[in-house]
Amino acid sequence: MEQVFVSAGAIDPRFRALVLVATFGSLRWGELAALRRKHVDLEGRTVRVVASTTELKDGSITVGPPKSAAGLRTVTLPFVVNSELRAHLDAYTGSDDEAFVFVGAKGAMLRRPTFSRTWAKALKAAGLSGFHFHDLRHTGNKFASQSGRRCGS
């Protein structure tokens, strides 16, 4: 769990909430990239997962349903993550309900190759090696099972 907070502290502030939501919401990369403002309920501390992105070989990105029916879900976030997400929405997300929650530095949809460079830089700064972005989801699932919370599908 310590690696989560170390990596979140080392990454560009634009992506701190992404790391925390990935972990404590047990969301996949594509689910995070497809998350829209209208799917975030700050008062209820929930995020509805209703879509996922897929990056195609030609470089295009498609948005569709999660990879399984079980992927359609609502997850509850801890208070600390909810406050980080609130700050993120205020600083980085457009005000329109259709706005993507997590976008790149120029406001474009998140792309895995671009983010991977930022992630690698953060891990190097934090002195972490061998820690992959998908490990955040596994960490979140483990935390959820230990706390009795429903794991992400």
Side-chain angles (χ1 to χ4, degrees):
M1 188 64 68
E2 180 182 342
Q3 291 176 320
V4 171
F5 290 103
V6 170
S7 61
I11 203 159
D12 179 323
R14 161 179 298 281
F15 300 115
R16 178 176 168 78
L18 175 87
V19 170
L20 296 174
V21 173
T23 305
F24 293 97
S26 298
L27 271 66
R28 296 176 179 91
W29 170 262
E31 295 167 346
L32 291 158
L35 188 62
R36 295 182 189 267
R37 183 180 273 276
K38 68 182 178 183
H39 299 132
V40 176
D41 176 1
L42 292 171
E43 299 311 311
R45 294 186 4 256
T46 62
V47 171
R48 285 185 305 120
V49 179
V50 299
S52 184
T53 61
T54 302
E55 296 183 38
L56 304 176
K57 290 181 182 178
D58 67 3
S60 63
I61 299 176
T62 63
V63 179
K67 73 180 199 177
S68 71
L72 294 169
R73 63 199 187 281
T74 299
V75 296
T76 303
L77 300 173
F79 286 105
V80 66
V81 176
N82 197 59
S83 64
E84 288 282 346
L85 185 54
R86 182 183 304 273
H88 175 88
L89 290 170
D90 290 345
Y92 302 110
T93 304
S95 59
D96 184 273
D97 278 350
E98 294 296 323
F100 288 106
V101 172
F102 301 110
V103 295
K106 297 180 182 176
M109 183 178 253
L110 276 182
R111 301 182 73 83
R112 186 181 292 265
T114 305
F115 178 78
S116 292
R117 290 189 292 273
T118 301
W119 179 247
K121 183 178 175 183
L123 293 180
K124 184 175 181 182
L128 299 172
S129 63
F131 190 58
H132 304 281
F133 188 81
H134 196 74
D135 293 337
L136 297 173
R137 177 172 156 75
H138 295 299
T139 300
N141 284 340
K142 182 177 178 183
F143 176 71
S145 69
Q146 291 172 343
S147 68
R149 183 174 59 89
R150 181 183 178 275
C151 295
S153 299

